[in-house]
Amino acid sequence: MSALPLFWGERGAHAVLHGEDQRAPFVRRLSELRTLVPVDRIDRNSLASIGTLLLAQPRGLTPEELVALDGWVREGGRILIFADPLLAWPSVFGWGDRRRAPPITLLDPLIAHWGLELESPEVGAASSATLSINGLSAAGAGMGQWQSATSDCRVSGDRTWVECRIGKGRALLVGDADLLNLEDVPDNLPALLALLARLETVQP
């Protein structure tokens, strides 16, 4: 689930009617390894058949969706979240256009509920940043850093990602969604797959 142009692109109805593949490179590559199902709304029915949910800079979720998502994770769901405090992803839509992904993450209520805080990059800080996992690295932009107020969550050494035990489930949260833009940084894919593998293999 994402407000980013991962599945549908931004070329409009004409491209859809002519059968153009508007999927972002990340989705095309991941679909070679997994069965991907786009989710428009979060509720118990939409989550019932999902083993792992990828939530990348989504639109603002309703209180009902947040409750359903939290409950699903606590019952054993696994979720990989990309929450960006300073999105740099290019768009054909202007600032303020509802079709454009939100420039800052709208997941603060869920993040705070799990005892976490995502710090925005300092003003004047370098626009690029690097995430590291299992000896692999991924380049991002405007990457946030995590703080945890609970022993249920462990922050990575570079503070770019954090993993949490939430009830019976697990959550892995990353402080940047621009990592998914493989058009700009195609070499990010191995590190992104490593994040997913860690989420699914480490036991709660």
Side-chain angles (χ1 to χ4, degrees):
M1 182 179 192
S2 179
L4 297 168
L6 296 180
F7 273 93
W8 314 123
E10 295 182 338
R11 293 196 294 273
H14 178 80
V16 174
L17 292 174
H18 285 78
E20 293 183 27
D21 187 353
Q22 295 194 73
R23 296 177 301 169
F26 172 71
V27 168
R28 291 201 299 267
R29 296 293 299 276
L30 190 57
S31 65
E32 296 172 1
L33 306 172
R34 303 295 185 91
T35 299
L36 304 183
V37 179
V39 176
D40 294 324
R41 178 173 175 77
I42 290 176
D43 54 30
R44 294 189 65 89
N45 290 334
S46 65
L47 295 174
S49 60
I50 294 177
T52 300
L53 179 66
L54 192 154
L55 192 63
Q57 200 73 353
R59 59 167 173 77
L61 302 181
T62 66
E64 293 78 11
E65 287 179 301
L66 292 170
V67 169
L69 183 58
D70 179 64
W72 175 78
V73 174
R74 293 183 185 279
E75 291 171 3
R78 299 194 178 218
I79 185 169
L80 176 57
I81 296 177
F82 292 86
D84 202 312
L86 191 63
L87 188 71
W89 197 296
S91 175
V92 301
F93 303 120
W95 294 107
D97 193 310
R98 295 183 61 183
R99 293 169 292 180
R100 187 179 182 128
I104 60 173
T105 181
L106 302 178
L107 291 173
D108 285 346
L110 182 67
I111 290 170
H113 182 61
W114 287 348
L116 299 171
E117 180 182 354
L118 179 60
E119 297 180 349
S120 299
E122 294 183 6
V123 176
S127 60
S128 60
T130 302
L131 172 148
S132 298
I133 179 172
N134 298 348
L136 300 168
S137 62
M143 194 175 296
Q145 293 192 317
W146 295 97
Q147 286 192 353
S148 172
T150 171
S151 60
D152 291 332
C153 296
R154 294 186 300 172
V155 179
S156 67
D158 58 11
R159 296 176 59 203
T160 58
W161 55 277
V162 57
E163 54 186 344
C164 299
R165 182 180 67 252
I166 309 292
K168 297 179 182 179
R170 293 191 71 244
L172 198 158
L173 300 92
V174 181
D176 192 1
D178 293 304
L179 298 168
L180 299 176
N181 187 3
L182 298 187
E183 289 189 1
D184 288 348
V185 279
D187 293 339
N188 279 1
L189 184 62
L192 296 174
L193 295 179
L195 288 167
L196 184 60
R198 183 179 183 92
L199 172 68
E200 295 183 329
T201 57
V202 176
Q203 295 302 312

